[in-house]
Each structure stands twice: as C-alpha cells, then as structure tokens.
Amino acid sequence: MNLPLRPELIGVAPYGAPHPDVPVVLNVNENPYPLSQRVVETIAARVAQAAVRLNRYPDRDFVELRTALAAYLARESGVSLPPMQVWAANGSNEVMTHLFLAFGGPGRCALTFTPSYSMYPEYARDTHTEFVAAPRGADYGVDVAAAAQLLERHRPALLVLASPNNPTGTALPLSTTKALLELTRTSGPVGPGGEPTATVVVIDEAYGEFRREGVDSALTLLADNPHLVVTRTMSKAFGAAGLRLGYCGASQEIVDALTVVRLPYHLSAVTQAAALGALEHQDELMAQVASLRAERDALVEWLRGEMALTALDSDANFVLFGPFEDRHFVWNALLERGIIIREVGPAGYLRVSVGTPGEMEAFRTALKEICA
Ligand SMILES: *Cc1c(COP(=O)(O)O)cnc(C)c1O
C-alpha cells in the first residue's frame, strides 16, 4: 500500500549503533561500570514508593528532581541555578528535540560545525528545520570569524555545539564560546514585528563531567547570556544510559518555551524516582568519573607513546586515534578479537570508549597485535 510517508523519510534507516554480543563493548561511550548494589537498592526503594501512586499522573513539573539536579550542577560546576531554570526530559536527545520544536521549524535553520554528533541533523529533519553544517577549523575548534560570516548569511535560530565534542573528544575553549555568545545576540531570524532576535546557542555537555582540570563548563556563562542552553545527561558520567534522563540549564525564558512544546507528563514517575535515587549517590559516581578520566589520560599517552599514533587530547570518556591506512581493517580485526569500537570521525581515525582497566588491557593487547 502507498502510505503518505513524508518524502524526506522515504528509504531512511533508523539511527543506531550496532549492538553485537561481544565481551568488550567500547563503541557507544557508556560508563563501563554497572551501578553498585547500594545505588540499585536506593533506586528500587524509590521506584517502589512511586509505584504506589502510579494510578495518578506524575508531577509534570518534576520539582523535586529539578531541585536535585540544580544542587548537583552547583556542586559539579560551581554554578547555582534556581531549580526552575533546569529542564529535564527522556535523555538529552529529548531536551534537544524540545529546543528544536520551540525554536526551529519551517523557514528556520540550525547551524553546527562538523565532525560532530550524528543526531543533530535528525532533530532538524524531524522538526522541518533547515540544517547547515560547516567544517570545524584547526584542532577541531570553531573559527570565530568563519562563524560570524555563517551567522550573518543564514541567521540561524539555533547554533548547536558539542563540547566536549563527539567524536573528537575536544572541548571548546570558554573564550570561543564567549565570543560566539556575543556574535549571536542579534543573529537569529527576523522576529514577527521585523525586530532582530538572538540565535539560541546550545552547548551539548553530554561529556561535561569528564573535562580535564582547568576546562570550565559553559554553565559559568549562563548568568550573562539568556540565549544560552547547556545540556547534560545522566547517560555517560552517571552510568545510567538505560535511565533516559537528560537535562539542561538555561534562562527562564528558554525553559518556559520548552515547557510549551513538551508532551503532557513527559517524564514518568518511575523515571523521576530512579533519577532521584541515582543522584543520592553522586559521591560514589563522581569518584568513578575520576578513575575513568585517569584511565583515559593513560590511554592517550599509550597511543602516542608506545603505538606512535596520533591521539587527540580528550575531555570526554573516549579517545579518537589514528590515522590508519585502512581503518575498517583495524576495526574489524578488533571485533574478531571480541572488542567493538566505533568507526566514525575523520578519515583513517577510530573512536574508542574508555572501559574498565581489564577492558583497556584487552584493547591494548589486541591493538598491539593488529599493528605489529
Ligand atoms: C551520548 C551523547 C548524548 C546523550 O544523549 P542521551 O539522550 O542523554 O543519552 C548527547 N550528546 C552527545 C554529543 C552524545 O555523544
């Protein structure tokens, strides 16, 4: 039967990395450590409590969760936000969808700099927003002068930048973000009364907690920039990718706009309860992030030293390395040894997530063998 599928969706495959059943999974930047028994018990108790009231709709404003997330952000980045300036949804992917629904749309455009996260064009497609991708500059940074020209030419409603970026692992210097925030105060589409509008600048800090010492979060810029959104997630540092909880800090105007486009009761009572349970144990989870960071730095050093490869400085929980004449061969040879990493990013490069010490040892042994 001929179904009236939107023309731009015809023949399009759904997004998703392969999930083969292999012993060492280092391809989707998950936290390699399962939640501890203590955390599991807290979550289970909280969910049981929530289950008693599942006949009722959940708190649609999830005030308790926003309060806990604001307290966590204050501790993690030193930036205190009123709880109502924190917004959450089912993964930062849904937060991003809310942003596109509120600020994108037909006749509007979103700008990004590539290589970057492959979901961004999908949010644009799904919301009928034109998508403009320009190449990143030296060291995968964003050239401010090039950005200024693109902003003037396209007048984007959204500028989306991952920092630390995926798949490169590199963070934008705060000075670049500041310069972009100055350029975007009036660079958006013309408003309904002919007035200039801002471009909403989204800094995707999905890997924010893994940033190195001295790298500041863009959260520190929120106070002076009502057009800034900083997104975070519990999928990576918190070891809770299965929870589907992403969130952002932004001005009250932006959060009010996101509230308009969300589906009713989008965050289930079960999700809210489980997230609160995980947040109760933030000390334990933050200690784990510190050891993953150390493991990452050791990996970069090993790739550069012993393997004489290029490995980018990483502020995330993965490392982009290469170049290989035939990266698919290397990827496949690792898979044959029970290790899956990601074939993504600039030609010749591969991305590996940071795993447990045992997983990293297996990766090092296999890569040495393959490159010998
Ligand atoms: C993993 C990742 C996310 C996380 O998405 P969730 O929906 O929160 O799981 C967001 N942005 C980037 C760049 C990522 O790599």
Side-chain angles (χ1 to χ4, degrees):
M1 182 180 287
N2 273 336
L3 296 174
L5 187 62
R6 284 166 50 187
E8 63 274 30
L9 301 182
I10 293 172
V12 175
Y15 171 87
H19 269 277
D21 192 13
V22 297
V24 182
V25 177
L26 302 173
N27 68 332
V28 287
N29 303 338
E30 293 153 333
N31 187 317
Y33 297 104
L35 297 177
S36 74
Q37 200 50 41
R38 265 163 34 97
V39 183
V40 169
E41 275 164 22
T42 306
I43 290 175
R46 287 239 186 205
V47 169
Q49 238 175 13
V52 176
R53 286 183 53 82
L54 283 182
N55 60 314
R56 302 290 177 192
Y57 283 110
D59 173 9
R60 70 178 157 225
D61 294 319
F62 46 98
V63 176
E64 192 185 355
L65 178 57
R66 286 163 118 164
T67 306
L69 288 168
Y72 167 72
L73 284 180
R75 191 165 160 214
E76 199 276 334
S77 69
V79 178
S80 286
L81 292 173
M84 293 323 256
Q85 276 182 243
V86 175
W87 179 250
N90 297 282
S92 55
N93 270 276
E94 192 183 33
V95 173
M96 208 64 94
T97 302
H98 288 164
L99 285 160
F100 274 72
L101 285 171
F103 297 103
R108 295 191 160 203
C109 103
L111 173 64
T112 194
F113 290 82
T114 51
S116 197
Y117 189 40
S118 50
M119 278 303 295
Y120 299 153
E122 300 205 8
Y123 311 133
R125 178 199 68 201
D126 293 349
T127 58
H128 305 270
T129 309
E130 191 198 336
F131 189 71
V132 178
R136 283 181 176 245
D139 299 324
Y140 304 105
V142 171
D143 181 76
V144 174
Q149 283 188 354
L150 288 160
L151 289 166
E152 203 174 294
R153 180 163 355 127
H154 297 285
R155 308 210 66 84
L158 290 147
L159 169 61
V160 183
L161 293 163
S163 176
N165 186 34
N166 180 5
T168 57
T170 48
L172 287 178
L174 216 54
S175 56
T176 300
T177 310
K178 269 189 199 157
L180 292 171
L181 285 165
E182 288 312 315
L183 287 174
T184 45
R185 290 182 190 281
T186 55
S187 64
V190 178
E195 72 283 9
T197 68
T199 299
V200 173
V201 178
V202 185
I203 305 294
D204 179 352
E205 291 193 354
Y207 302 98
E209 284 95 339
F210 296 101
R211 67 193 186 277
R212 288 169 300 169
E213 202 74 41
V215 177
D216 276 326
S217 163
L219 288 165
T220 57
L221 305 174
L222 276 176
D224 303 324
N225 294 287
H227 58 317
L228 170 64
V229 183
V230 182
T231 62
R232 292 278 184 110
T233 179
M234 293 181 77
S235 293
K236 310 287 161 60
F238 258 92
L243 173 62
R244 308 307 300 131
L245 200 289
Y247 55 103
C248 68
S251 61
Q252 197 60 58
E253 295 107 287
I254 288 181
V255 172
D256 288 347
L258 304 183
T259 312
V260 173
V261 297
R262 63 109 184 271
L263 292 173
Y265 309 107
H266 69 293
L267 263 192
S268 85
V270 172
T271 301
Q272 294 183 38
L276 281 164
L279 282 160
E280 258 186 55
H281 293 278
Q282 52 190 267
D283 285 346
E284 181 180 325
L285 294 158
M286 284 167 94
Q288 206 172 65
V289 166
S291 75
L292 286 166
R293 271 204 230 120
E295 194 70 54
R296 176 221 32 223
D297 293 340
L299 173 65
V300 170
E301 217 165 285
W302 178 81
L303 287 162
R304 288 175 181 169
E306 194 157 333
M307 298 302 289
L309 289 163
T310 300
L312 300 194
D313 282 337
S314 174
D315 284 294
N317 65 341
F318 56 85
V319 176
L320 191 75
F321 67 100
F324 297 102
E325 207 154 291
D326 185 353
R327 74 170 176 185
H328 184 72
F329 171 84
V330 177
W331 179 85
N332 200 54
L334 285 165
L335 189 59
E336 279 167 7
R337 289 163 175 80
I339 300 163
I340 184 155
I341 67 168
R342 194 76 171 261
E343 201 176 349
V344 68
Y349 280 80
L350 294 165
R351 190 193 74 190
V352 61
S353 312
V354 175
T356 63
E359 290 170 332
M360 297 326 287
E361 186 53 37
F363 169 75
R364 285 191 291 262
T365 305
L367 190 65
K368 257 198 292 204
E369 229 175 80
I370 294 161
C371 293

